[in-house]
Amino acid sequence: MDRKDRLDAFGVSAMLGFAVLFAFNQVVIKVTIEGIQPIFAAGLRSLLGLAALIVWMRWRGISMHMTRGQMWGAALVGALFSIEFLCIFLALDITTVSRASVIFYTMPIWLGLIAHFALPGERLTGVRLLGFGIAIGGVVWAFLDRSSGQASLLGDVLALIAALSWAGIALTVRLTPVSTAPAEMQLAAQLAISTVVFFALAPLFGPLLRDFSMIHGAGLLFQSIITVLFGFLLWFAMMKIYPASDIAAFSFLSPVLSVFMGWWLLGEHIGPEIIGALVLVCIGLLLISRRKPVPA
């Protein structure tokens, strides 16, 4: 598909589905790592996702070749992907889905800030700068709150590093030759590199299995097949068609849905402070996503 300068009806629908899937995925990770050590679980997810992706690519006849120019960008996104999920899996092990999600889904803030300097046509001006300030206020409020459930400063910091790494992936895809590779090959590189990283690091984080049961295995399969294969492929495809900041800012729905699902499915306590932080972050993200109307 041709590149577009704003989200259309298809883009909006796709991003709605993406937001619901990734909000629910935070709950699935939280449940899965109750039975499987977080870093080992992340490694298994990458390995199973890679196997499913290879089957998908062979079935669709998608080339598994990358040029030398594409490979260095692929290596960088693979490293950033590894950092992102190393941090978010560890964060969800020591804090609530609600807290981790509010901070993790600030990715569009950091992407918008860096894109202001790095990507033409994506400058933060006027209302978008106001949105940036409001969203930052929400992040600070979330960090200062120690009363909303399983609060952990380390968990907050890890979620923030994961958000920054996610923003780095989006920028790398836009700014390096890896953007010309099929979305499937971009994802394959991330899964292959992260599999090696996670399995190498997993023994440093304690026993590989905890109180394992079938629900933990089901959660791992959901992440590997539904989230990794279809969710990430959708995100990469959308990044190649629509503006990076529009795609990222639409994820304001994910922290809202994650907080709701954490309360509804996991019985997490949600204090007024985390609700206030969530509101500020979402208002900020909405303002950051605004653009001037294109003249007819």
Side-chain angles (χ1 to χ4, degrees):
M1 296 180 66
D2 295 332
R3 185 155 186 85
K4 301 181 180 181
D5 62 358
R6 62 179 56 204
L7 286 173
D8 53 17
F10 172 78
V12 169
S13 300
M15 292 311 300
L16 279 172
F18 179 86
V20 172
L21 172 62
F22 274 68
F24 181 64
N25 189 61
Q26 305 302 307
V27 174
V28 175
I29 292 175
K30 182 75 171 177
V31 172
T32 301
I33 60 180
E34 291 175 355
I36 309 174
Q37 186 235 82
I39 307 307
F40 186 54
L44 289 173
R45 187 185 78 155
S46 288
L47 179 62
L48 293 173
L50 179 60
L53 179 60
I54 291 173
V55 172
W56 168 267
M57 292 176 69
R58 290 191 177 279
W59 177 57
R60 296 290 304 274
I62 298 170
S63 172
M64 300 183 68
H65 172 74
M66 268 192 176
T67 66
R68 182 171 299 179
Q70 292 168 340
M71 289 181 67
W72 73 267
L76 180 55
V77 294
L80 290 167
F81 184 90
S82 300
I83 296 171
E84 176 189 348
F85 284 97
L86 175 76
C87 290
I88 198 61
F89 269 67
L90 289 175
L92 287 169
D93 195 39
I94 58 179
T95 192
T96 62
V97 168
S98 302
R99 293 188 63 86
S101 296
V102 168
I103 298 171
F104 178 57
Y105 286 107
T106 60
M107 181 275 274
I109 302 172
W110 320 117
L111 177 59
L113 178 62
I114 302 171
H116 172 78
F117 300 99
L119 298 179
E122 300 206 19
R123 296 183 62 81
L124 290 173
T125 58
V127 173
R128 300 181 78 199
L129 280 170
L130 174 62
F132 178 79
I134 292 173
I136 288 293
V139 174
V140 172
W141 195 354
F143 265 84
L144 293 176
D145 170 44
R146 299 291 97 198
S147 62
S148 295
Q150 186 186 358
S152 165
L153 181 58
L154 176 59
D156 294 348
V157 172
L158 288 169
L160 180 58
I161 295 173
L164 291 168
S165 300
W166 187 7
I169 292 172
L171 286 167
T172 302
V173 169
R174 289 290 303 276
L175 296 174
T176 70
V178 74
S179 63
T180 60
E184 290 84 355
M185 275 306 298
Q186 296 177 39
L187 179 56
Q190 294 178 73
L191 294 174
I193 292 171
S194 63
T195 296
V196 174
V197 171
F198 293 146
F199 282 155
L201 295 178
L204 304 177
F205 291 85
L208 301 184
L209 295 179
R210 296 173 171 178
D211 188 18
F212 182 80
S213 66
M214 290 298 295
I215 192 173
H216 305 123
L220 186 62
L221 288 175
F222 177 89
Q223 294 175 64
S224 304
I225 307 300
I226 305 301
T227 303
V228 171
L229 183 57
F230 296 108
F232 288 159
L233 282 181
L234 171 64
W235 189 76
F236 271 107
M238 298 288 282
M239 283 295 299
K240 297 183 73 170
I241 301 171
Y242 300 102
S245 56
D246 282 7
I247 292 297
F250 211 85
S251 64
F252 78 93
L253 284 174
S254 288
V256 176
L257 293 170
S258 294
V259 169
F260 171 74
M261 290 182 183
W263 167 78
W264 180 41
L265 298 175
L266 300 177
E268 293 182 352
H269 169 71
I270 304 172
E273 294 84 358
I274 207 67
I275 294 296
L278 175 65
V279 169
L280 289 182
V281 167
C282 290
I283 291 174
L285 293 178
L286 282 170
L287 293 176
I288 291 171
S289 69
R290 289 190 61 180
R291 292 175 174 272
K292 293 181 179 180
V294 177

